[in-house]
Amino acid sequence: WQEPFFAMQKFVAFVLSVVCLGILEAPSCSAFSSILVARNKFFQTSSSSFRQSQACTERRSATCFAHNPIPTILQLKPKGVLDLSSSTRSRSSVKLAAGRSDLDVRNGKNGANKGTMIYLLVLANALVFMLSKYGHVSTSALYLNHQHAAWYQLVTSTFCHANIQHLSGNLFPMLVFGRLVEEELGGFGLLVAYLVCGVCSNLASLFLLSATTMSLGASGAVFGLFTVAVMSRLSVRYFSWRSMIEAVVFGYFVWERLISEVAVTSAGGIIGVNHVAHLAGAGAGVALVLGIKVLLAMLERGESSARA
């Protein structure tokens, strides 16, 4: 059974070599000559692949696989990606290959950091609901009571939900757009955006809705994440075609949601849905991103004037 396995492994490695080494590493050659270059590079190292792999199997040594000459994903060095071969790792620092890196070096992201703050926010919302629903812990004091409001309720009410439908309806867009915000602003920036948009949406509800209202839910903060995620990707100075595609796709979704909220609110709204919080949260997200950009521009002007 080993011969078909290693034959398939060699075939897959050859395909990867053709795509990555031939097409990307030799763009000046023609397509046919690029394939020949990749083929020669592959078969220079693959002639003894089966023999060494078979010896590794017989000796049962895990270290043998580190010396297997079959090219791996980390050993392929197309333009614009990090060279992670052993020769590069022995150097004092890892350098980017020629061309624009697929990694977002502008924001200091290395592709490995997936972010954890959004998952902590999701867990916090789910934990509060689980305690109130199945732990028989009363969380009504955390709701925003418009008649006797406490300052902490502006924050705590954004982590409370009435039922499982209310919770799941908020967690899904929170996870999707929260990850986008964390990619751009980091974990602390995501937390600030969530809290600022949630508090602003609760303040708008407190002043515009009836005193007998009880407000709860993360929807105001989620609508804020909608606008923050889209606007943070709109940058003329640091243009990226990937960011622009994301801004268009997610921006259209957010635009439709906002138009729907405005139409429903102008028609009288839906009982039990806080449309004011939705619109206020989205507006807070826009104001937050614009404020951050203005602040950064002022700091840059101050630094340039100080240098002059």
Side-chain angles (χ1 to χ4, degrees):
W1 63 272
Q2 293 181 358
E3 293 186 6
F5 172 78
F6 287 113
M8 180 61 68
Q9 188 179 14
K10 291 169 61 177
F11 174 74
V12 173
F14 172 70
V15 173
L16 291 175
S17 301
V18 169
V19 175
C20 296
L21 292 177
I23 305 301
L24 297 177
E25 194 173 42
S28 60
C29 303
S30 62
F32 180 73
S33 61
S34 299
I35 294 176
L36 292 181
V37 169
R39 179 187 179 279
N40 293 333
K41 290 182 179 181
F42 171 76
F43 283 107
Q44 284 175 0
T45 59
S46 63
S47 59
S48 60
S49 298
F50 177 76
R51 292 194 300 272
Q52 289 199 12
S53 299
Q54 190 175 25
C56 290
T57 304
E58 294 174 354
R59 292 197 301 268
R60 304 294 185 182
S61 175
T63 59
C64 293
F65 290 97
H67 305 287
N68 194 332
I70 297 180
T72 62
I73 298 299
L74 295 180
Q75 291 171 333
L76 299 179
K77 300 185 288 297
K79 280 196 170 185
V81 299
L82 289 174
D83 185 353
L84 298 178
S85 62
S86 58
S87 60
T88 306
R89 289 196 300 268
S90 62
R91 300 174 184 175
S92 57
S93 62
V94 179
K95 298 181 180 180
L96 286 175
R100 185 186 182 280
S101 173
D102 289 338
L103 308 177
D104 194 347
V105 296
R106 172 177 63 86
N107 290 323
K109 297 189 292 292
N110 58 5
N113 182 20
K114 296 182 179 179
T116 56
M117 181 58 67
I118 182 57
Y119 297 100
L120 294 178
L121 290 175
V122 169
L123 286 176
N125 280 268
L127 180 60
V128 172
F129 177 78
M130 295 290 288
L131 289 176
S132 62
K133 183 68 175 180
Y134 304 104
H136 305 290
V137 177
S138 178
T139 58
S140 58
L142 304 179
Y143 303 167
L144 180 59
N145 189 337
H146 290 218
Q147 193 169 8
H148 303 286
W151 65 268
Y152 61 85
Q153 293 176 348
L154 296 173
V155 176
T156 57
S157 61
T158 61
F159 294 90
C160 301
H161 294 84
N163 49 52
I164 188 63
Q165 290 79 16
H166 189 201
L167 177 68
S168 61
N170 281 333
L171 289 189
F172 178 76
M174 181 194 303
L175 181 60
V176 173
F177 286 88
R179 290 183 64 178
L180 298 177
V181 173
E182 191 166 6
E183 287 177 1
E184 292 294 324
L185 305 181
F188 180 75
L190 169 62
L191 180 61
V192 170
Y194 182 90
L195 295 178
V196 168
C197 296
V199 169
C200 290
S201 64
N202 280 332
L203 286 174
S205 302
L206 192 62
F207 286 105
L208 297 178
L209 297 182
S210 172
T212 59
T213 304
M214 296 284 287
S215 297
L216 68 156
S219 56
V222 170
F223 268 78
L225 296 182
F226 285 171
T227 54
V228 171
V230 174
M231 293 194 62
S232 62
R233 275 165 164 70
L234 298 176
S235 177
V236 178
R237 178 181 301 178
Y238 304 110
F239 177 80
S240 171
W241 64 273
R242 294 178 178 84
S243 297
M244 291 305 300
I245 291 177
E246 292 175 348
V248 171
V249 174
F250 291 114
Y252 183 75
F253 170 81
V254 172
W255 176 254
E256 281 194 329
R257 294 298 301 269
L258 294 178
I259 293 299
S260 176
E261 286 293 322
V262 171
V264 173
T265 303
S266 60
I270 301 175
I271 298 176
V273 178
N274 193 343
H275 301 286
V276 172
H278 296 172
L279 296 176
V286 174
L288 179 63
V289 174
L290 292 178
I292 292 175
K293 291 186 176 182
V294 170
L295 179 61
L296 292 177
M298 293 175 60
L299 292 176
E300 289 180 357
R301 285 197 299 266
E303 289 181 358
S304 60
S305 60
R307 292 175 183 175

